[in-house]
C-alpha cells in the first residue's frame, strides 16, 4: 500500500466553476480526502486535461484517481486510464444540473458538491485496480445440445465463425422435428407458397464439416466446470462415456408436441383426427399426390382446429400461444388446395396470428380458397365422417361441420429438463433423509438435459410455462447459467425461421462467452469487468446465503460447506456481497468498504441546521441513468440527497443502511429495477432479493429507535427520469414531517 | 321460388361462396375478408343493418344462402365508401353490397316491399321506358306506391314545391302523357336489351 498515490482532479467546465467554489472543493479533497495531488482544470475532458492526468500517472506515479466532473456514465472514453483505480464524483448531472439555480441555493449546492468530493476520495482509497485472471488453457470449443434445426444451425454458425463445435443428439439422426415436415412455411419473398425444408441437406453439411464433432444416439451424463472449462461427459449408445472439454454450451433441445390424448373432447385419439405432426406424416407419405387417411380414403374435406389445448384459461391445458400453429395450418391447407382446389379446407380460429411475413401467406391461402372461420370448437367426433361442433364467434351461433379429416393445432411443450422450483424442495427433503425424496431425486435427475453438477440444480432455471431461462426483456439469449445459452423452441414457442435466427444469436453469444472466459472478463451485462468476488473464508460462517442467493448459480459448496466461487460463471452483480451477514465477500473495486466509506464520508449537519441528509442507493443499470437523465432534462431534486450508484440492488449490504442511519442520515432510499414476473433487473433476482431483505429490516430499525419510514425501496425504470425526481422530493417532504433522525450527533 | 333461384341452388348446392364468386359483382373478393370488423365499425348506417358487411361475408362462407339473399342489409348501403377506404384488405365492400342486392333482386328472393329496392325498380323502369327520367311520373308513382289515400296525402304535402317548380317552368304538366324520349328510342331499347342479354349470360340467368 505504500506505493499508492492518490490524486483528485476537479473539472470547472460545463458551468461547474460558475456555480460552485472550486478552490474550496480542492481544499476539501486535499485536507479531508487526503489526496496527494489535487488539481482543477477548466475543461478536464479535453486533450489537455486528460494529458495532465496521464502525465501525473506517468511522472508522479499516481495510482488512484478521483475525477470530480460529470457522471461516471459520461466521457468514459476520455477518462480511461489503464492500470489505475478510478472513482468519479458526479458534480455535473448530480449537482449542477439538479440543484435549483440561483444564489438562494448556493450554500446547499456547495455542500452537496463538497460531499461528493469527500465520497469520491473515500471510495478511491478503498479501491484496487482489478488485475483480471487470464486463463492460458481456456477452451474455446462450444457444445451444442440437440441436433434439430436450431442445434444444427448453431453448430454450423459456430464452425463458420472458426470455432469448433461438439454436437450431441439423442436420436440416431439429425434433423429433429424439421426432418418430419413435408414442407415449411415460406421464409422468402413472395411468401406465397410452402418451401422445401432441406433438413437433410443441412444435416449433410453438419456431418461433412470438419469443425463439428458429432455424437448421435448420445446424451449428457454430467456437466461440470464453468465457462472456458466445462467438462461434459457424453454418454453414447454403446455405453462408452467420452469427456469433452468445452468453453460454452448452447442448449437447443426443442419441443415435444402436446399430447392429443389429453384432448378427448376434441377427438384426440379418435380415427381421422390427427395433430399437425400427424398431417405432416400423411403429406410426406402422399409425396405431392392426394393426401390419404389411414384407411386409404382420399381426403376431400378437412377442418383445422386452431388453439387445440392452447391458450386455455381453465388450467387443464397449455395457457400460452405457440405462435407457429396458425401459419402451420395455413401451410397444411395449401398442401390440399395446391393438389386439388376442390378439397374443402376450413381453418377454424379464434384469433389468427401469423408473425413475420405470415400475413402474405395468409392472404395467398385465402386466394386459394381456404375458408377461414372465426369459431371456437367445443367438440370433435372422429370416424368415417368427422364432425366439428363449434360456436361461430362472428355470427354468434352453434354450428357443426362435417369433414373427412380433422387436424388439431396443438402447441409446443419445451424439452427444458428439470424444473428447479420442483427440484430444490426434493433435494432438501432428500438431504433430510426422506427415502421417497431420494428416489424422486434420482428420477428427476434422470430427466435432466445438462446434468449440471451445480449447487443450484442440474438444469438452467425455467422461466415461464416450463420454457428454459431467458432474460426476456433485455437480453433474450441470456440465461441465469453463464456460458450456457438456450436457443430455439426450448426457450419460447417459435417457428423454424425464428429458431434458426435464435440459434445464430445464441451461437454468437457462446463465442463471446468463450472469449470473455479466456480473458477473465465478465460476460453480459458487466461485459469486460475484470473484478471478481473474493471471500475471506476464515471469517465465513457457512451460512450458505451466497450459494443459495447467487442468481447465476456461480457459487458451489465444498465438503465443509464453504462457498467455492467459480469466477467464470460470475456476472459481478455483487448479490453474494449483499447477502453475506459477516461481510467477507468483496470485489477489488467494489466492496462493503468502497460504499461504506462513502456513506460515512459525508458531513452530516447538526439537527438545528434543518438540513436533512438522505442516502440514495441507486442501481447503476436503470435508476442511476434515470437520475442522470433527470439532470440532463434540468429537473430539480432536493440538494439534501447523496446518491451512490450500486452494481445491483442485490449487492446492497444492510450494514450500509445501519451505518447511514447511525451516522445521522434521516432516511435511506433504494432505487432498483422492477422485480417479479415482469422483471427488468439485469441480474434477474437482485432487485427482488433486495426488496425481500429490506422487508426484514424493520426489527433493526426498531432496535435503533427509528421509524420504519426511514428506509424505503422503490422500483424504477430507466425511462423514469421525471418519476425519480418526484420520488426523491416526496420522500424528502415525508421525512421533513417525520422530523430529524434522533441518531444525529451520535455518529 | 323462382326458376333462376332454383337453378342456382341446384348448381351450387352447399357452396354458396362459389355461387357468389361466379355471380356477384366483385364476389371473388369475399374470401379475402379477414374479419377485422373495420367495415362494420365504419358504416354510418351500421346500427340500422341487420347484418354488417363483416357478418355478411362470414355468412357467405358459412353457406347461409337464404339468410344472406333474403336479407335487407345490402339495401341499406348508401354508397358512402367509408368501408372501402378503410378496409385493410382492400375489399370493394360497397360494390359487393350492391352486387349482392342486385343478385338477390334478380333471383326474386330479395325482401318484398324493401323501400330502396322498390324505388330503384321504379327508377329503372321509368328510365328505360323513354331513355330519360320522367320526373313527374316518377314522383307520382312514388307518391302513390302505397295506394290512393296515402298518395293524395303525400302529393298535397308536397304541392308547394310542385307549384314552385311549375312557376319556374321546371315542371311540365304535359309530361304526364308519356313525356318526351331520347332520339332513336328504338335503338336505345335495342341497346338495353342487348346489355341485359350479355349480363344475363354472364350471371347465368339465361334459360
Amino acid at each position: 500500500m505504500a506505493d499508492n498515490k492518490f490524486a483528485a482532479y476537479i473539472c470547472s467546465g460545463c458551468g461547474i466553476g460558475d456555480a460552485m467554489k472550486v478552490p474550496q472543493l480542492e481544499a476539501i479533497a486535499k485536507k479531508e480526502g487526503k489526496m496527494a495531488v489535487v488539481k482543477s482544470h477548466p475543461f478536464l475532458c479535453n486533450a489537455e486535461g486528460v494529458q495532465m492526468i496521464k502525465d501525473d500517472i506517468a511522472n508522479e506515479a499516481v495510482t488512484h484517481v478521483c475525477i470530480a466532473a460529470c457522471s461516471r456514465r459520461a466521457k468514459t472514453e476520455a477518462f480511461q486510464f489503464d492500470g489505475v483505480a478510478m472513482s468519479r464524483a458526479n458534480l455535473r448531472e448530480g449537482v449542477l444540473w439538479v440543484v435549483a439555480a440561483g444564489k438562494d441555493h448556493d450554500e446547499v449546492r456547495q455542500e452537496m458538491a463538497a460531499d461528493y468530493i469527500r465520497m469520491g476520495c473515500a471510495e478511491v482509497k478503498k479501491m484496487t485496480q482489478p488485475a483480471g485472471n487470464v486463463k492460458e488453457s481456456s477452451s474455446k470449443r462450444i457444445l451444442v445440445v440437440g441436433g434439430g434445426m436450431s442445434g444444427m444451425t448453431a453448430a454450423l454458425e459456430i464452425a463458420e465463425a472458426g470455432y469448433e463445435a461438439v454436437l450431441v443428439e439423442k436420436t440416431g439422426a439429425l434433423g429433429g422435428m424439421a426432418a418430419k415436415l413435408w414442407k415449411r412455411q415460406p421464409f422468402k419473398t413472395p411468401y406465397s407458397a410452402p418451401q422445401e425444408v432441406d433438413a437433410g441437406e443441412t444435416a449433410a453439411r453438419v456431418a461433412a464439416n470438419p469443425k463439428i464433432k458429432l455424437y448421435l444416439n448420445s446424451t449428457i451424463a454430467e456437466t461440470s466446470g464453468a465457462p472456458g472449462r466445462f467438462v461434459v461427459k457424453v454418454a453414447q449408445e454403446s455405453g462408452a462415456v467420452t469427456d469433452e472439454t468445452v468453453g460454452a454450451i448452447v442448449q437447443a433441445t426443442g419441443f415435444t408436441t402436446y399430447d392429443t390424448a389429453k384432448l378427448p373432447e376434441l377427438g384426440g385419439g379418435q380415427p381421422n383426427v390427427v395433430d399437425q405432426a400427424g398431417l405432416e406424416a400423411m403429406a410426406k407419405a402422399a409425396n405431392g399426390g392426394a393426401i390419404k387417411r389411414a384407411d386409404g380414403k382420399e381426403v376431400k374435406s378437412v377442418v383445422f382446429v386452431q388453439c387445440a389445448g392452447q391458450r386455455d384459461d381453465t388450467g387443464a391445458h397449455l395457457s400460452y400461444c405457440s405462435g407457429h400453429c396458425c401459419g402451420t395450418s395455413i401451410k397444411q391447407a395449401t398442401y390440399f388446395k395446391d393438389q386439388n382446389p376442390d378439397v374443402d379446407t376450413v381453418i377454424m380460429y379464434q384469433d389468427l396470428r401469423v408473425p413475420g411475413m405470415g400475413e402474405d401467406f395468409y392472404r395467398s391461402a385465402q386466394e386459394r380458397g381456404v375458408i377461414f372461420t372465426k369459431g371456437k370448437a367445443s367438440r370433435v367426433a372422429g370416424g368415417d365422417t368427422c364432425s366439428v361442433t363449434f360456436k361461430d364467434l362472428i355470427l354468434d351461433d352453434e354450428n357443426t361441420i362435417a369433414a373427412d379429416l380433422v387436424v388439431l393445432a396443438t402447441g409446443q411443450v419445451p424439452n427444458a429438463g428439470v424444473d428447479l422450483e420442483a427440484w430444490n424442495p426434493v433435494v432438501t427433503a432428500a438431504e433430510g433423509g426422506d427415502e421417497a425424496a431420494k428416489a424422486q431425486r434420482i428420477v428427476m435427475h434422470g430427466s435432466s438435459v445438462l446434468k449440471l453438477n451445480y449447487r443450484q440444480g442440474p438444469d438452467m432455471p425455467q422461466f415461464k410455462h416450463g420454457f428454459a431461462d431467458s432474460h426476456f426483456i433485455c437480453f433474450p439469449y441470456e440465461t441465469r447459467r453463464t456460458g450456457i445459452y438456450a436457443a430455439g423452441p426450448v426457450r419460447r414457442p417459435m417457428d423454424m425461421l425464428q429458431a434458426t435466427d435464435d440459434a445464430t444469436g445464441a451461437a454468437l453469444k457462446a463465442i463471446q462467452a468463450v472469449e470473455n472466459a479466456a480473458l477473465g472478463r465478465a460476460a453480459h451485462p458487466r461485459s469486460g469487468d475484470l473484478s471478481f468476488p473474493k471471500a475471506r473464508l476464515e471469517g465465513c460462517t457457512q451460512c450458505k446465503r451466497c450459494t443459495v442467493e447467487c442468481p447465476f448459480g456461480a457459487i458451489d459448496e465444498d465438503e465443509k460447506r464453504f462457498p467455492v466461487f467459480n469466477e467464470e460463471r460470475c456476472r459481478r452483480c455483487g448479490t453474494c456481497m449483499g447477502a453475506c451477514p459477516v461481510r467477507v465477500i468483496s470485489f477489488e473495486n467494489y466492496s462493503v468498504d468502497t460504499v461504506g466509506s462513502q456513506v460515512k464520508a459525508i458531513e452530516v449537519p447538526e439537527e438545528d441546521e434543518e438540513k436533512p441528509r438522505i442516502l440514495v442507493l441507486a442501481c447503476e443499470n436503470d435508476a442511476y441513468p434515470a437520475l442522470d437523465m433527470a439532470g440532463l432534462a434540468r429537473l430539480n431534486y432536493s440538494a439534501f440527497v447523496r446518491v451512490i450508484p450500486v452494481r445491483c440492488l442485490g449487492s446492497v449490504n444492510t450494514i450500509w443502511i445501519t451505518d447511514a442511519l447511525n451516522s445521522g442520515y434521516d432516511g435511506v432510499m433504494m432505487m432498483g429495477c422492477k422485480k417479479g414476473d415482469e422483471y427488468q433487473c439485469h441480474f434477474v433476482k437482485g432487485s427482488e432479493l433486495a426488496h425481500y431483505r429490506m422487508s426484514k429490516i424493520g426489527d433493526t430499525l426498531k432496535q435503533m429507535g427509528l421509524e420504519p419510514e426511514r428506509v424505503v425501496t422503490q422500483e424504477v425504470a430507466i425511462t423514469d427520469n421525471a418519476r425519480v425526481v418526484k420520488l426523491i422530493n416526496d420522500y424528502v417532504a415525508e421525512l421533513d414531517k417525520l422530523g430529524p433522525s434522533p441518531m444525529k450527533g451520535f455518529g | 321460388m323462382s326458376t333462376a333461384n332454383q337453378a342456382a341452388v341446384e348448381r351450387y348446392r352447399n357452396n354458396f361462396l362459389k355461387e357468389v364468386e361466379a355471380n356477384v359483382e366483385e364476389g371473388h373478393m369475399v374470401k379475402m375478408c379477414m374479419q377485422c370488423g373495420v367495415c362494420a365499425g365504419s358504416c354510418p348506417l351500421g346500427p340500422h343493418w341487420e347484418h354488417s358487411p363483416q357478418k355478411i361475408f362470414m355468412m357467405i362462407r358459412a353457406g347461409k344462402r337464404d339468410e344472406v339473399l333474403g336479407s335487407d342489409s345490402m339495401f341499406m348501403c348508401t354508397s358512402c365508401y367509408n368501408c372501402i377506404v378503410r378496409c385493410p384488405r382492400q375489399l370493394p365492400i360497397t360494390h359487393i353490397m350492391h352486387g349482392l342486392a342486385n343478385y338477390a333482386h334478380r333471383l326474386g328472393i330479395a325482401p318484398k316491399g324493401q323501400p330502396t329496392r322498390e324505388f330503384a325498380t321504379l327508377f329503372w323502369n321509368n328510365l328505360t321506358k323513354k331513355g330519360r327520367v320522367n320526373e313527374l311520373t316518377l314522383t307520382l308513382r312514388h307518391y302513390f306506391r302505397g295506394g290512393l289515400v296515402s298518395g293524395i296525402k303525400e302529393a298535397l304535402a308536397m304541392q308547394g314545391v310542385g307549384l314552385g317548380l311549375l312557376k319556374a317552368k321546371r315542371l311540365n304538366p304535359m309530361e304526364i302523357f308519356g313525356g318526351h324520349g331520347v332520339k332513336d328510342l328504338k335503338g336505345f331499347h335495342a341497346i338495353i336489351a342487348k346489355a341485359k342479354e350479355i349480363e344475363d349470360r354472364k350471371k347465368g340467368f339465361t334459360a
Side-chain angles (χ1 to χ4, degrees):
Chain A
M1 295 294 282
D3 296 326
N4 286 348
K5 188 164 184 184
F6 303 98
Y9 299 92
I10 302 170
C11 180
S12 56
C14 293
I16 295 174
D18 304 330
M20 298 163 213
K21 290 176 233 138
V22 173
Q24 193 204 359
L25 298 178
E26 283 184 273
I28 286 171
K30 190 110 197 160
K31 226 164 139 190
E32 297 179 42
K34 306 241 178 337
M35 295 284 115
V37 179
V38 178
K39 289 181 182 171
S40 70
H41 194 277
F43 195 166
L44 193 60
C45 60
N46 76 358
E48 190 193 283
V50 171
Q51 195 55 46
M52 175 179 83
I53 302 172
K54 282 186 174 160
D55 288 347
D56 283 356
I57 293 168
N59 306 328
E60 307 277 328
V62 166
T63 56
H64 289 62
V65 175
C66 170
I67 307 272
C70 38
S71 162
R72 54 156 65 184
R73 301 178 58 256
K75 302 286 172 197
T76 48
E77 278 166 23
F79 300 131
Q80 191 178 24
F81 309 107
D82 290 340
V84 171
M86 181 174 65
S87 71
R88 299 276 298 262
N90 188 356
L91 298 185
R92 190 177 72 171
E93 288 87 342
V95 183
L96 179 67
W97 287 351
V98 289
V99 178
K103 287 231 174 307
D104 292 353
H105 304 280
D106 277 356
E107 188 182 318
V108 288
R109 188 187 306 114
Q110 187 69 18
E111 285 172 3
M112 198 181 195
D115 274 346
Y116 279 133
I117 299 279
R118 292 185 186 102
M119 288 156 72
C121 295
E123 183 188 9
V124 78
K125 280 197 286 191
K126 301 285 181 189
M127 285 166 80
T128 316
Q129 180 58 17
N133 194 357
V134 178
K135 310 285 188 322
E136 293 294 331
S137 60
S138 193
S139 171
K140 291 190 178 177
R141 305 168 82 211
I142 295 162
L143 173 75
V144 179
V145 188
M149 207 58 175
S150 317
M152 292 194 296
T153 308
L156 284 170
E157 293 289 342
I158 290 162
E160 277 162 24
Y163 292 78
E164 277 178 58
V166 180
L167 181 58
V168 176
E169 164 59 34
K170 187 169 63 178
T171 69
L174 291 172
M177 206 56 90
K180 296 178 184 157
L181 303 184
W182 166 235
K183 290 204 172 147
R184 60 183 283 191
Q185 288 179 48
F187 58 97
K188 280 184 189 148
T189 178
Y191 305 97
S192 57
Q195 287 178 234
E196 298 302 323
V197 185
D198 289 336
E201 190 242 1
T202 313
R205 275 169 59 213
V206 170
N209 195 311
K211 281 193 169 290
I212 302 174
K213 187 169 178 184
L214 186 58
Y215 286 96
L216 293 174
N217 293 312
S218 302
T219 54
I220 290 169
E222 192 195 53
T223 304
S224 58
R229 55 174 178 91
F230 285 114
V231 177
V232 182
K233 292 190 194 307
V234 182
Q236 286 139 278
E237 201 184 20
S238 62
V241 175
T242 315
D243 275 0
E244 288 287 352
T245 304
V246 294
I249 299 172
V250 174
Q251 183 180 336
T253 41
F255 69 99
T256 313
T257 53
Y258 191 70
D259 187 1
T260 51
K262 291 179 186 164
L263 299 165
E265 69 283 6
L266 294 181
Q270 294 181 39
N272 303 322
V273 178
V274 296
D275 64 1
Q276 291 180 323
L279 188 85
E280 291 294 339
M282 291 162 85
K284 258 195 135 157
N287 196 24
I291 293 174
K292 295 194 176 95
R293 307 196 305 202
D295 59 9
K297 189 183 162 192
E298 198 177 309
V299 178
K300 288 283 187 195
S301 57
V302 57
V303 175
F304 294 87
V305 176
Q306 298 304 110
C307 303
Q310 301 192 66
R311 299 175 66 213
D312 174 86
D313 50 15
T314 64
H317 304 295
L318 305 180
S319 61
Y320 51 88
C321 161
S322 291
H324 77 94
C325 351
C326 287
T328 301
S329 286
I330 291 171
K331 175 190 75 176
Q332 295 183 338
T334 68
Y335 291 172
F336 292 98
K337 281 286 183 193
D338 288 348
Q339 199 274 326
N340 175 7
D342 286 336
V343 175
D344 280 330
T345 50
V346 174
I347 295 182
M348 190 176 295
Y349 67 96
Q350 290 158 59
D351 300 282
L352 206 76
R353 291 291 178 272
V354 277
M357 298 304 284
E359 193 68 22
D360 287 344
F361 192 37
Y362 171 23
R363 212 174 284 131
S364 84
Q366 286 183 304
E367 274 160 8
R368 285 175 170 92
V370 176
I371 303 266
F372 289 82
T373 296
K374 191 174 166 86
K376 187 171 169 55
S378 54
R379 198 162 45 77
V380 175
D384 191 41
T385 303
C386 307
S387 74
V388 180
T389 307
F390 68 102
K391 179 167 185 178
D392 190 315
L393 296 174
I394 299 289
L395 306 178
D396 196 28
D397 58 6
E398 289 289 327
N399 252 317
T400 303
I401 321 186
D404 292 340
L405 183 73
V406 175
V407 181
L408 302 180
T410 54
Q412 295 180 325
V413 182
N415 299 331
V418 176
D419 178 9
L420 300 187
E421 306 265 325
W423 166 263
N424 284 321
V426 171
V427 171
T428 312
E431 281 172 356
D434 185 335
E435 290 303 319
K438 279 182 189 170
Q440 204 191 341
R441 179 168 66 173
I442 293 168
V443 173
M444 284 176 93
H445 192 262
S447 70
S448 163
V449 175
L450 297 175
K451 299 203 171 67
L452 296 165
N453 69 351
Y454 286 20
R455 189 239 178 272
Q456 291 189 3
D459 277 305
M460 64 174 85
Q462 294 177 358
F463 180 44
K464 269 184 193 166
H465 314 303
F467 285 91
D469 203 18
S470 162
H471 195 297
F472 76 104
I473 188 164
C474 307
F475 327 107
Y477 306 117
E478 290 292 342
T479 73
R480 269 171 281 171
R481 294 294 174 262
T482 311
I484 306 179
Y485 299 90
V490 71
R491 181 173 81 69
R492 68 166 179 79
M494 59 176 77
D495 63 25
M496 204 188 294
L497 181 62
Q498 289 172 319
T500 47
D501 283 354
D502 212 50
T504 309
L508 295 177
K509 291 304 286 183
I511 291 170
Q512 281 181 1
V514 295
E515 290 295 343
N516 275 327
L519 294 169
R521 299 197 306 197
H524 198 85
R526 288 190 60 81
S527 193
D529 192 348
L530 293 172
S531 68
F532 52 88
K534 289 182 172 166
R536 278 188 300 111
L537 289 184
E538 61 274 22
C540 174
T541 58
Q542 297 125 299
C543 74
K544 302 201 287 181
R545 274 193 214 168
C546 55
T547 60
V548 171
E549 292 189 356
C550 173
F552 304 101
I555 314 171
D556 290 330
E557 282 156 24
D558 66 9
E559 304 82 51
K560 292 180 185 162
R561 304 212 158 181
F562 280 116
V564 178
F565 289 86
N566 291 282
E567 89 179 56
E568 300 95 330
R569 289 189 213 158
C570 173
R571 304 281 182 93
R572 283 75 165 170
C573 60
T575 297
C576 49
M577 184 172 113
C580 185
V582 287
R583 300 178 292 283
V584 297
I585 303 171
S586 64
F587 296 78
E588 288 153 308
N589 53 1
Y590 183 64
S591 65
V592 170
D593 260 2
T594 59
V595 177
S597 62
Q598 291 183 69
V599 170
K600 287 181 264 189
I602 79 151
E603 203 164 69
V604 180
E606 294 297 322
E607 195 181 322
D608 52 14
E609 287 185 51
E610 294 188 349
K611 284 178 187 161
R613 285 291 177 259
I614 295 103
L615 176 66
V616 175
L617 295 167
C619 161
E620 68 176 10
N621 298 301
D622 280 11
Y624 201 66
L627 286 163
D628 275 358
M629 229 68 95
L632 216 60
R634 304 296 196 277
L635 304 173
N636 293 336
Y637 59 75
S638 168
F640 298 141
V641 300
R642 300 294 178 259
V643 183
I644 301 179
V646 293
R647 286 189 180 182
C648 173
L649 222 47
S651 72
V652 171
N653 196 298
T654 44
I655 189 76
W656 299 338
I657 317 283
T658 46
D659 273 359
L661 295 170
N662 275 324
S663 314
Y665 283 83
D666 298 89
V668 178
M669 175 181 254
M670 272 159 287
M671 288 185 180
C673 304
K674 202 168 164 191
K675 61 175 173 23
D677 268 358
E678 306 282 296
Y679 68 86
Q680 296 183 359
C681 178
H682 285 44
F683 300 104
V684 188
K685 291 281 168 200
S687 177
E688 193 166 314
L689 282 166
H691 278 78
Y692 176 75
R693 290 176 196 153
M694 292 314 143
S695 71
K696 308 259 171 200
I697 209 166
D699 287 345
T700 317
L701 293 175
K702 210 181 271 176
Q703 277 172 14
M704 296 169 77
L706 292 174
E707 302 84 346
E709 293 85 0
R710 299 227 181 249
V711 178
V712 294
T713 316
Q714 298 288 0
E715 290 173 50
V716 302
I718 196 159
T719 48
D720 279 350
N721 53 353
R723 190 170 153 255
V724 287
V725 168
K726 189 174 182 315
L727 286 175
I728 288 178
N729 289 338
D730 289 354
Y731 188 48
V732 172
E734 191 189 334
L735 287 175
D736 191 44
K737 266 186 228 153
L738 210 60
S741 163
M743 306 297 288
K744 274 191 204 296
F746 292 101
Chain B
M1 197 183 270
S2 74
T3 21
N5 188 34
Q6 217 151 17
V9 170
E10 215 35 48
R11 189 167 336 146
Y12 296 103
R13 286 257 158 77
N14 293 319
N15 208 334
F16 185 37
L17 177 63
K18 278 191 181 156
E19 181 182 347
V20 168
E21 289 189 349
N23 300 329
V24 173
E25 186 185 351
E26 303 279 8
H28 67 284
M29 288 298 284
V30 170
K31 62 177 183 283
M32 299 308 289
C33 168
M34 65 174 190
Q35 293 295 324
C36 65
V38 165
C39 50
S42 304
C43 180
L45 261 78
H48 305 289
W49 294 46
E50 193 190 353
H51 309 297
S52 64
Q54 178 198 14
K55 279 196 179 175
I56 286 182
F57 297 146
M58 195 69 184
M59 288 160 79
I60 293 170
R61 295 186 203 172
K64 293 183 181 287
R65 188 175 188 278
D66 296 344
E67 288 93 324
V68 172
L69 295 179
S71 157
D72 82 334
S73 292
M74 301 85 77
F75 293 93
M76 302 300 288
C77 173
T78 58
S79 311
C80 75
Y81 286 81
N82 236 1
C83 50
I84 291 197
V85 169
R86 293 186 180 172
C87 176
R89 280 297 181 83
Q90 279 125 34
L91 264 72
I93 300 166
T94 308
H95 302 170
I96 299 171
M97 290 303 120
H98 293 327
L100 282 169
N102 178 262
Y103 185 56
H105 168 74
R106 296 208 57 186
L107 289 175
I109 50 174
K112 300 243 157 16
Q114 210 288 332
T116 311
R117 183 189 180 200
E118 288 213 328
F119 186 75
T121 311
L122 205 62
F123 188 90
W124 177 255
N125 290 341
N126 186 293
L127 174 68
T128 48
K129 209 168 179 181
K130 290 273 171 100
R132 281 178 187 278
V133 175
N134 184 329
E135 286 167 351
L136 189 61
T137 53
L138 177 69
T139 318
L140 287 175
R141 275 187 194 282
H142 179 59
Y143 288 167
F144 286 89
R145 71 191 181 282
L148 197 62
V149 180
S150 64
I152 290 171
K153 263 189 196 163
E154 221 166 314
L156 283 175
M158 295 298 286
Q159 64 172 325
V161 177
L163 286 172
L165 286 169
L166 211 56
K167 266 187 203 159
K169 298 193 174 165
R170 307 298 298 165
L171 186 70
N172 182 356
M174 301 315 280
E175 291 280 306
I176 202 156
F177 303 110
H180 65 297
V182 290
K183 278 182 202 164
D184 189 14
L185 195 58
K186 220 174 151 192
F188 169 73
H189 282 146
I191 291 172
I192 295 292
K194 187 72 187 171
K196 187 173 182 304
E197 187 199 316
I198 294 170
E199 175 142 329
D200 282 354
R201 197 178 337 117
K202 263 194 196 164
K203 295 192 174 169
F205 281 100
T206 35

